[in-house]
Amino acid sequence: MKKILTLSALLLACFCYQACYEDKGKYDYLPVNQVTVAIPAEALTAYLGDTLKYTPKITFEDPADTLGFEYWWEYKGASGLLGYREIVNEGRELKFVPRIVGSQLVQLCVREISSGFIKEAGFTVNASSRYARGWLILREEAGKTKLSYVLPERSIQGDRTSPHVYTPYVDLYTQLYPDVDLGSGPVALRQAFSSKGIQVVFYILQENGSACFNGISYQREVLLSQEFIGGPPANLKPIDYMQMNYVNMLLNEDHTVYYRAPYYSNNTDFFTYSFANFPMAYQGKVLKVDRLIPCIAEYAFFTAAYDKENKRFLWIYAGQATTGGGIMPATSFTLPGEYLDYNNTADANILYTAFYNESLAGSLGQMYNITVYERGGNYYVQHCRGTGGQLLATLPAEQPLYDFQNVAFPNPGFLAANTKFYQMKTRAYLFFATGNNLYWYDHLGKTARLFYTLPAGSEVVAMSSNPQESELGVACANGKFIILDVANNRLMENDTKLYEIDLPGRVVDMDYKFPDYATHRSRTSSSYWD
């Protein structure tokens, strides 16, 4: 049902705005030069960054009078901000691109040329985001930072058994915010989650303009330099960011680490706590680490960092506000045969280390760690478990580790010093790329297999998986992005490519962007799968 607003030349001295949209099951008439404009009684649905087109029905009782009017559309802002108006476009057809998520008002303006009388007729547009979940790709083009996005949708809406179809948005941020400079010198893309307020944000770490962005609207919320107490460090060049329960950590280019300790970061609004502007210290010295080892923030109360200079792993506690940020070594072991001592890695070259089976950190208080390393020209995989899900008011002297397993890597020719790795979060598979070949390693079967061969010259820079880990996104520096089917029944096949696109410029990083806290926390539940 529609309401019809009729404009009358007899009301030249009056201003009328139709602000009531209830559907009365009939038409309302206000005569103005025998012109009738039909406006929708219910809100229209639109998507952030997409063009909403709508042409109201306009009828003329006197066909000769059709040239006596001019038309334009105005934007009134969110919930009709008092006094705010911005011209959207001229003509009878609305061409509106929402820039914010939520309810907002637009209005058609009809002006009688002979008298100058203007009649306004408005209605609500409800805008949502298509970019809440999908493959987010950070790249550099012509010296500028760019964001690309690939949207996965089911070919049959509501049927999760139907295959995905993929829609690319090559220059998403420019499409959404054409007048905003995203920055330059991109380095890394990282996500953070909260169960309150804005539930997901992402950080773009870069040489110029590192910032935090709303994970739904993609609006820039705050510059990273504004998130430090007393201003940022003079040498701030971030290369990694990690969120945990009570501690957020930022790794700088000079290997120093900065932290903030919000009260339970997973249940605290973003932007309410700031980083200390001095680096973390350990045993009276500034802490310097080669890498932060990511873990799932909602479960693991410990994570680890690798101190390459001193050849040791250090464990960082994040389970209590009072003790968050505490640092400790691992429990020392002496084991027979080949074994990597986490307190003294000696001549080992650490290729990769990560946590997996992360849901067990919440249910069983455990962390599973895998480390791939090279020593004396041989490659090894070491597994162990550690306590991960305990609240500790007093820090222990050491982080206990147990259930060590160490095996020689079955296919040493598959590995190299520059191999890129990705550990599945809920499955016992390690994917890795050497050159243009992509492989997987099975932790349970202790076997490795060539899975997919990329075109020559394709250097893999990032991999990520969707919530149910049935798909693997693979991003290459040359701009190639592919999605592979990695379901259990496809792992022994040679070509499981689902989607491929060549993006302009240089790809720097990529991640599957989660829509909210619950999906990220409960990715093993089918109700959250894409």
Side-chain angles (χ1 to χ4, degrees), residues 146-388:
K146 299 287 185 178
L147 280 177
S148 297
Y149 181 80
V150 175
L151 170 67
E153 294 178 296
R154 292 295 178 182
S155 55
I156 303 176
Q157 187 174 6
D159 181 2
R160 290 183 176 176
T161 65
S162 63
H164 273 137
V165 292
Y166 305 91
T167 303
Y169 296 82
V170 173
D171 193 358
L172 175 61
Y173 199 81
T174 301
Q175 177 182 333
L176 294 177
Y177 306 106
D179 300 325
V180 179
D181 185 353
L182 198 53
S184 62
V187 174
L189 178 69
R190 298 291 184 265
Q191 295 184 75
F193 303 90
S194 174
S195 61
K196 293 186 63 178
I198 302 173
Q199 291 202 8
V200 56
V201 299
F202 62 88
Y203 281 86
I204 294 179
L205 306 181
Q206 54 189 343
E207 294 177 6
N208 300 294
S210 293
C212 178
F213 296 80
N214 187 302
I216 303 300
S217 70
Y218 285 59
Q219 288 181 306
R220 183 164 54 200
E221 297 286 350
V222 65
L223 291 171
L224 182 60
S225 60
Q226 298 172 320
E227 291 198 87
F228 286 84
I229 298 174
N235 62 338
L236 181 62
K237 293 183 178 181
I239 61 173
D240 201 2
Y241 169 89
M242 186 165 65
Q243 176 198 29
M244 295 186 296
N245 283 303
Y246 288 91
V247 173
N248 302 165
M249 294 190 295
L250 189 71
L251 179 61
N252 206 40
E253 186 181 54
D254 61 2
H255 303 294
T256 55
V257 181
Y258 296 85
Y259 83 106
R260 60 183 167 193
Y263 182 77
Y264 197 53
S265 63
N266 302 321
N267 192 31
T268 301
D269 285 321
F270 290 111
F271 323 122
T272 54
Y273 291 83
S274 299
F275 284 97
N277 66 353
F278 52 86
M280 296 178 71
Y282 178 60
Q283 295 180 337
K285 297 180 180 179
V286 172
L287 175 66
K288 291 194 174 184
V289 301
D290 177 63
R291 71 193 79 177
L292 301 174
I293 304 171
C295 64
I296 190 165
E298 297 88 356
Y299 290 124
F301 293 169
F302 277 94
T303 191
Y306 182 59
D307 177 1
K308 184 177 181 180
E309 180 180 352
N310 294 294
K311 301 182 182 300
R312 63 186 177 182
F313 285 80
L314 293 172
W315 300 83
I316 302 173
Y317 184 62
Q320 286 276 41
T322 55
T323 52
I327 303 171
M328 68 206 71
T331 301
S332 296
F333 283 93
T334 301
L335 299 177
E338 176 59 39
Y339 157 69
L340 181 67
D341 185 347
Y342 286 94
N343 292 323
N344 181 15
T345 59
D347 57 348
N349 177 28
I350 308 299
L351 299 183
Y352 181 71
T353 184
F355 295 104
Y356 70 104
N357 278 355
E358 291 169 328
S359 61
L360 296 179
S363 61
L364 300 177
Q366 299 173 350
M367 299 186 303
Y368 284 70
N369 176 258
I370 172 181
T371 301
V372 183
Y373 67 97
E374 177 270 332
R375 177 149 46 201
N378 299 312
Y379 294 95
Y380 303 92
V381 180
Q382 181 161 298
H383 298 78
C384 70
R385 288 194 296 159
T387 302

Side-chain angles (χ1 to χ4, degrees), residues 419-440:
T419 295
K420 191 72 176 181
F421 295 88
Y422 176 74
Q423 172 59 52
M424 287 289 197
K425 306 304 180 185
T426 62
R427 299 169 63 195
Y429 289 99
L430 172 69
F431 284 83
F432 59 99
T434 303
N436 63 327
N437 288 323
L438 179 65
Y439 308 85
W440 54 254

Side-chain angles (χ1 to χ4, degrees), residues 33 68-69 111-117:
N33 266 1
F69 297 88
R111 178 178 178 270
E112 185 185 35
I113 296 174
S114 60
S115 66
F117 175 77

Side-chain angles (χ1 to χ4, degrees), residues 44-55 73 88-90 93-99 106 125-128 130-131 169 172 174-176 178:
L44 298 184
T45 298
Y47 294 98
L48 186 73
D50 289 358
T51 301
L52 169 66
K53 294 183 179 181
Y54 174 76
T55 303
W73 290 88
V88 177
N89 64 272
E90 296 181 351
E93 183 183 37
L94 171 65
K95 300 176 183 177
F96 175 55
V97 181
R99 301 298 181 195
V106 295
V125 173
N126 288 330
S128 58
R130 292 186 186 272
Y131 322 112
Y169 296 82
L172 175 61
T174 301
Q175 177 182 333
L176 294 177

